[in-house]
């Protein structure tokens, strides 16, 4: 494309919208620059306010979303680099189509707010609704929600009341108020925004500073073998990774030893010798391991709790699968152009399990297993009986060595805050961690290293407001924002008519 054409396409308002998205992305892990992200959200709101037509608003919303997700989700290229000669050609399509597709949710929010003339509060409401929709439509993909920028600040604790979608909507509302202050050049409105921010900060600080329940008198041991994805299924390395994990399996006083997702290479029907050896090495503790399971013509990504002899005492089959990663939508069509599921061996994909399932861990109480991707969905943690703790078994080697694993850990910490439950995280290449009910890190194994840790299981807080009410507070907040924006616009029109 010639430079003059590029200049005509990338007008200053469009460049401003793109820049806003880049700043918003800077708030996500591992950078965590939340003040920069807030500035980006304010710029996005200003870009919407300055749009003259719904079409302009939609384009600017799309540009903000595109640059936000392009940067935040840069790790999406890593699965294609495991076998680059075969899959590398798909990188531009995956990265740009993913960012562009997710940005359509923001484009629709900006369009609706402009065509319905709801004002900046209404924009915040529709923008928050777009994020809620992004987390559910087509099985959902709520990765990199703007609410996650508050991790490691007291504001993250508000997720215990309104969840990540509510925290995201609140972030949009705060940005809209700041944008209004900037556009009106009003110190009074800016002061109101500062007071509201301080009030929310104090609510979060109060929860964060409240003492946690005492730790349990029982410990867990988490094993991290560090098997790089490009070598994980290589027959020349499988035994090496297995022995590496086994060498750090002795429990050191723990009651349970945890291996990560698919850390046993053999499928369940052929893994008897390995499971017996793991159980004997972990004794007197029990062990839970990740592997593949085959039942007839169906394969499952499974977590297995072993008894003292290495037999299956309980198992859980992953039920929320990764589109294009663990199964192929419309396989009859996509297989014709050579697209395969990445994380399943041979590309044939997995079948989904029946749903959430609690495992009885004896003295440690009941645990809710989550396999990898499932931990990014708040709704996947909802069970009829409340567990005593959360167990995530994952293989984040697919996500690369920079932002992907860091963002996965950040989301796991939010799940602990939302539920008031501790989480144990066993990751193949890291970051394995023990997370308390406030989302704090009690123990961790760095990314890209092998090892293990033993630590007492933190206590659980009482059931949170968010667990009880689910998304009801979010819908109330979104409705309030949209209605207040519409009412404000109507009143301003009335004053002009008078």
């Amino acid at each position: 494309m010639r430079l003059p054409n590029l200049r005509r396409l990338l007008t200053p308002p469009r460049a401003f919208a793109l820049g806003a998205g880049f700043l918003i992305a800077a708030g996500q892990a591992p950078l965590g620059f939340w003040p920069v992200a807030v500035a980006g959200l304010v710029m996005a709101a200003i870009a919407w306010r300055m749009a003259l037509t719904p079409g302009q608003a939609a384009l600017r919303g799309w540009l903000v979303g595109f640059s936000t997700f392009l940067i935040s989700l840069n790790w999406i290229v890593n699965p294609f680099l495991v076998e680059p000669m075969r899959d590398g050609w798909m990188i531009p399509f995956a990265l740009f189509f993913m960012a562009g597709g997710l940005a359509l949710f923001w484009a629709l929010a900006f369009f609706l707010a402009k065509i319905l003339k709801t004002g900046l509060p209404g924009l915040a409401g529709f923008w928050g609704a777009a994020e809620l929709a992004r987390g559910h439509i087509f099985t959902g993909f709520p990765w990199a929600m703007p609410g996650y920028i508050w991790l490691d600040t007291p504001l993250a604790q508000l997720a215990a009341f309104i969840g990540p979608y509510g925290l995201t909507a609140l972030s949009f509302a705060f940005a809209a108020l700041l944008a209004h202050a900037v556009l009106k050049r009003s110190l009074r409105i800016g002061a109101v925004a500062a007071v509201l921010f301080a009030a929310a900060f104090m609510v979060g600080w109060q929860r964060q500073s409240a003492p946690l329940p005492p730790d349990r008198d029982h410990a867990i041991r988490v094993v991290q073998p560090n098997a790089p994805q490009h070598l994980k299924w290589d027959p020349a390395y499988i035994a090496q990774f297995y022995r590496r994990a086994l060498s750090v399996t002795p429990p050191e006083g723990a009651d349970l030893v945890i291996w990560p997702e698919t850390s046993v290479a053999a499928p369940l029907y052929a893994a008897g010798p390995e499971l017996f050896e793991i159980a004997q090495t972990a004794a007197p503790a029990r062990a839970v391991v990740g592997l593949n399971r085959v039942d007839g013509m169906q394969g499952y990504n499974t977590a297995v709790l072993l008894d003292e002899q290495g037999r299956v005492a309980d198992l859980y089959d992953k039920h929320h699968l990764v589109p294009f990663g663990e199964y192929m939508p419309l396989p009859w069509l996509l297989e014709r152009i050579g697209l395969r599921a990445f994380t399943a061996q041979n590309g044939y994909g997995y079948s989904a399990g029946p749903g959430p399932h609690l495992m009885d861990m004896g003295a440690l109480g009941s645990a809710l297993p989550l396999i990898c991707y499932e931990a990014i969905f708040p709704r996947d943690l909802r069970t009829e009986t409340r567990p005593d703790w959360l167990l995530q078994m994952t293989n984040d080697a697919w996500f690369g060595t920079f932002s992907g694993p860091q963002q996965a850990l950040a989301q796991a910490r939010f799940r602990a805050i939302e539920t008031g439950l501790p989480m144990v995280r066993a990751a193949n290449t890291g970051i394995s961690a023990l997370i308390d009910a406030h989302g704090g890190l009690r123990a961790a194994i760095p990314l890209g290293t092998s090892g293990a840790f033993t630590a007492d299981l933190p206590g659980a807080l009482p059931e949170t407001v968010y667990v009880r009410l689910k998304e009801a507070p979010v819908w109330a907040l979104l409705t309030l924002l949209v209605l207040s924006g519409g009412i404000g616009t109507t009143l301003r029109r009335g004053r002009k008519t008078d």
Side-chain angles (χ1 to χ4, degrees), residues 142-453:
W143 199 291
M145 276 193 284
Y148 292 148
I149 68 173
W150 303 112
L151 185 68
D152 291 323
T153 76
L155 288 176
Q157 301 301 316
L158 298 183
F161 305 99
I162 56 177
Y165 298 108
L167 187 56
T168 294
L170 206 62
S171 303
F172 292 152
F174 178 62
L177 188 59
L178 286 177
H180 188 53
V182 171
L183 291 168
K184 294 292 185 180
R185 299 181 181 179
S186 171
L187 291 177
R188 181 177 61 84
I189 298 173
V192 170
V195 169
L196 292 175
F197 180 85
F201 187 94
M202 288 304 298
V203 171
W205 178 83
Q206 186 176 27
R207 184 178 190 272
Q208 189 176 55
S209 60
L212 287 166
D215 294 349
R216 287 174 172 267
D217 292 329
H218 301 279
I220 51 89
R221 183 167 179 81
V222 174
V223 171
Q224 181 171 300
N226 191 35
Q229 193 58 45
H230 67 288
L231 300 175
K232 179 176 170 62
W233 300 109
D234 188 329
Y237 288 88
I238 286 175
Q240 175 183 326
F241 297 142
Y242 170 75
R243 289 294 165 191
R244 182 185 294 173
L246 197 68
S247 69
V248 292
T249 293
E252 297 187 356
D255 298 273
L256 180 71
V257 178
I258 305 166
W259 283 31
E261 175 189 14
T262 59
S263 49
V264 175
L268 180 58
Y269 69 83
E274 290 91 343
L275 299 184
F276 177 79
E277 188 173 22
I278 293 169
Q280 293 297 301
T281 305
R286 301 175 77 182
V288 58
V289 302
L291 42 60
N292 291 327
R293 185 176 75 87
V294 178
D295 184 3
M297 296 299 292
Q298 294 180 304
Y300 298 92
N301 189 350
T302 302
V304 174
L305 176 65
L306 305 177
D307 67 11
E308 295 79 359
Q309 299 301 314
R311 296 177 297 238
V312 176
D314 199 0
L315 62 80
Y316 164 71
D317 295 322
K318 185 177 182 182
H319 74 278
H320 199 146
L321 303 179
V322 184
F324 304 101
E326 292 178 310
Y327 77 97
M328 296 301 296
L330 304 175
W332 57 271
L333 175 63
L334 297 178
E335 68 182 7
R336 294 189 178 186
I337 59 174
L339 293 182
R340 315 170 340 133
F342 281 101
T343 61
Q345 293 183 66
N346 301 319
Y348 297 123
Y350 289 110
S351 296
H357 168 71
L358 301 188
M359 280 187 175
D360 183 359
M361 301 296 188
L364 288 165
S366 63
L368 175 65
L370 303 163
I371 298 180
C372 193
Y373 183 68
E374 292 175 322
I376 77 169
F377 296 94
R379 67 182 187 271
D380 284 350
L381 278 63
R382 294 167 185 165
T383 55
E384 291 186 7
T385 302
R386 190 184 191 220
D388 295 304
W389 54 287
L390 307 172
L391 168 60
Q392 186 190 13
M393 302 165 66
T394 185
N395 176 27
D396 290 352
W398 286 105
F399 302 158
T401 58
F402 181 58
S403 61
Q406 299 282 357
Q407 291 172 12
L409 174 63
Q411 292 172 98
R413 293 174 65 187
F414 265 93
R415 300 297 85 81
I417 296 170
E418 294 155 20
T419 59
L421 295 172
M423 177 182 282
V424 180
R425 192 170 195 272
N428 170 30
T429 55
I431 303 166
S432 298
L434 179 63
I435 304 168
D436 66 32
H438 282 163
L441 293 178
R442 295 288 191 88
I445 305 174
L447 186 65
T449 62
S450 60
F453 67 77

